[in-house]
């Protein structure tokens, strides 16, 4: 079966019907959750990370995991239908329609980190005679470098079709000033094998090496999708979220004595 990126451009492939199908598939939801959790582990998030750029955010499945970790996020995607599904789902992140292969512009150094799940392999394919995949990758990584803070980090999970695509992506990142590692989880499994590109700005060595990732069933079970739990949001948690929203210039409800207080069911719902 032909890979999606070899069939047509992403904005055509992910039309409204395909976007809904993708978003409502329980298998895809579980896989996206698992991949995002692993990406955040490789990103090594700490208290210094607040605002994350989600590249190829789609309908917001990965963004929801960022949200669960208390992170604010802005998502970029080339599929208008995917972003419309995300709006319909009322995700909390800001959504931007963008072809990242043409570059993108944000205030310099605005993002603490970036992630991308199952997306950047699309940049390795030319859909028009005027498109040069390596130049598009260069434009992407240059834009990312300008958008990240000094020593900012980024993790990309992707599906290269061959070593040529893997080298092209790595070389474009190096040319833009990134360094880091290619991490391969479960390298001996045709089904479970996953590839991550872990990058950082400002590193001493301008190289991209190869690092061993997860390789046994026990580790695979550790990173299996987690069952979501209802999070009890305290007043302190809510105020902290509002402070983040304020720094981003967003509107929010004023804090009152009722903030964080549990509401009783007033008979409006069964």
């Amino acid at each position: 079966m032909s890979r999606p990126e070899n069939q047509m451009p992403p904005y055509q492939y992910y039309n409204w019907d395909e976007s809904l199908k993708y978003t409502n598939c329980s298998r895809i939801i579980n896989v996206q959750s698992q991949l995002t959790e692993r990406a955040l582990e490789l990103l090594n998030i700490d208290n210094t990370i607040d605002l994350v750029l989600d590249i190829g955010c789609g309908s917001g499945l990965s963004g929801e995991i960022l949200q669960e970790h208390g992170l604010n996020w802005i998502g970029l995607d080339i599929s208008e239908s995917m972003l419309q599904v995300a709006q319909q789902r009322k995700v909390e992140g800001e959504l931007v329609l963008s072809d990242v292969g043409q570059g993108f512009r944000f205030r310099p150094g605005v993002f603490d980190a970036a992630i991308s799940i199952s997306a950047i392999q699309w940049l390795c394919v030319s859909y028009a005679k005027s498109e040069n995949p390596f130049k598009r990758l260069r434009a992407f990584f240059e834009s990312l470098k300008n958008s990240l803070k000094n020593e900012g980090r980024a993790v990309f999970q992707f599906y290269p079709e061959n070593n040529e695509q893997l080298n092209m992506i790595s070389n474009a990142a190096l040319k833009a000033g990134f360094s880091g590692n290619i991490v391969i989880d479960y390298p001996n499994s045709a089904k479970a094998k996953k590839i991550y590109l872990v990058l950082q700005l400002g590193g001493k060595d301008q190289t991209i090496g190869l690092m061993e990732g997860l390789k046994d069933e026990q580790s695979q079970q550790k990173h299996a999708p987690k069952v979501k739990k209802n999070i009890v949001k305290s007043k302190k948690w809510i105020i902290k979220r509002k402070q983040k929203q304020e720094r981003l210039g967003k509107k929010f409800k004023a804090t009152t004595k009722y903030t964080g207080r549990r509401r009783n069911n007033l008979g409006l719902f069964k």
Side-chain angles (χ1 to χ4, degrees):
M1 187 175 181
S2 178
R3 293 162 62 102
E5 63 269 22
N6 291 333
Q7 297 179 38
M8 62 186 74
Y11 55 85
Q12 292 179 358
Y13 184 86
Y14 287 110
N15 56 31
W16 178 255
D17 290 338
E18 189 64 30
S19 297
L20 282 177
K21 179 182 175 183
Y22 184 95
T23 304
N24 293 324
C25 176
S26 58
R27 181 187 66 81
I28 289 176
I29 293 171
N30 287 336
V31 170
Q32 288 290 93
S33 173
Q34 184 175 354
L35 295 174
T36 308
E37 290 285 358
R38 176 62 171 147
L40 289 175
E41 180 180 284
L42 292 170
L43 194 61
N44 192 25
I45 58 172
D46 53 32
N47 292 333
T48 65
I49 294 180
D50 179 18
L51 185 60
V52 177
L53 180 63
D54 186 357
I55 300 149
C57 65
S59 57
L61 297 179
S62 50
E64 288 180 333
I65 305 302
L66 296 174
Q67 184 180 319
E68 289 178 7
H69 283 266
L71 299 169
N72 290 300
W73 61 279
I74 293 176
L76 302 179
D77 205 279
I78 195 173
S79 168
E80 188 173 1
S81 294
M82 274 290 197
L83 296 180
Q84 287 173 346
V85 173
Q87 289 178 325
Q88 191 179 72
R89 297 175 66 238
K90 298 181 179 179
V91 298
E92 285 198 9
E94 297 289 333
L95 305 171
V96 179
L97 182 66
S98 173
D99 175 4
V100 297
Q102 294 184 359
F104 48 88
R105 296 182 66 181
F106 289 100
R107 182 162 48 84
V110 68
F111 293 103
D112 300 299
I115 69 162
S116 180
I117 306 298
S118 312
I120 63 170
Q121 68 271 6
W122 290 85
L123 293 175
C124 296
V125 181
S126 175
Y127 299 104
K129 290 182 179 180
S130 60
E131 289 185 353
N132 181 308
F134 186 70
K135 287 183 178 179
R136 284 171 58 78
L137 283 163
R138 283 291 309 274
F140 163 64
F141 281 113
E142 286 289 345
S143 296
L144 179 63
K145 179 185 72 172
N146 293 333
S147 301
L148 287 173
K149 291 181 178 177
N150 292 334
E151 300 186 356
R153 290 167 277 171
V155 175
F156 305 87
Q157 180 277 322
F158 61 107
Y159 297 102
E161 188 172 16
N162 47 46
N163 286 336
E164 182 182 353
Q165 288 189 358
L166 185 60
N167 290 331
M168 181 165 55
I169 291 171
S170 301
N171 288 333
L174 277 171
K175 291 281 187 181
F178 288 95
S179 59
N181 288 289
I182 295 168
V183 179
I184 303 178
D185 286 351
Y186 318 117
N188 299 319
S189 171
K191 186 176 181 180
K193 181 179 178 180
K194 296 293 183 293
I195 296 176
Y196 299 83
L197 180 61
V198 183
L199 298 176
Q200 183 169 3
L201 280 174
K204 294 181 179 179
D205 300 321
Q206 286 293 304
T207 60
I208 293 180
L210 185 64
M211 193 171 81
E212 192 175 75
L214 305 175
K215 59 180 181 177
D216 56 41
E217 293 183 1
Q218 186 176 2
S219 296
Q220 193 169 7
Q221 291 173 359
K222 175 185 175 183
H223 293 88
K226 299 177 181 178
V227 177
K228 292 185 179 181
K229 298 179 181 180
N230 290 327
I231 302 173
V232 179
K233 299 176 180 178
S234 66
K235 185 171 183 177
K236 183 178 179 180
W237 186 92
I238 293 171
I239 291 174
K240 184 178 179 181
R241 287 283 294 178
K242 287 182 177 182
Q243 289 172 343
K244 287 184 178 181
Q245 300 291 320
E246 185 177 15
R247 288 198 297 271
L248 291 172
K250 295 182 180 180
K251 296 180 180 180
F252 52 86
K253 293 182 179 179
T255 301
T256 70
K257 65 179 181 180
Y258 299 105
T259 299
R261 183 178 297 182
R262 293 185 62 182
R263 269 62 168 174
N264 293 322
N265 187 339
L266 300 177
L268 299 176
F269 307 99
K270 291 183 179 180

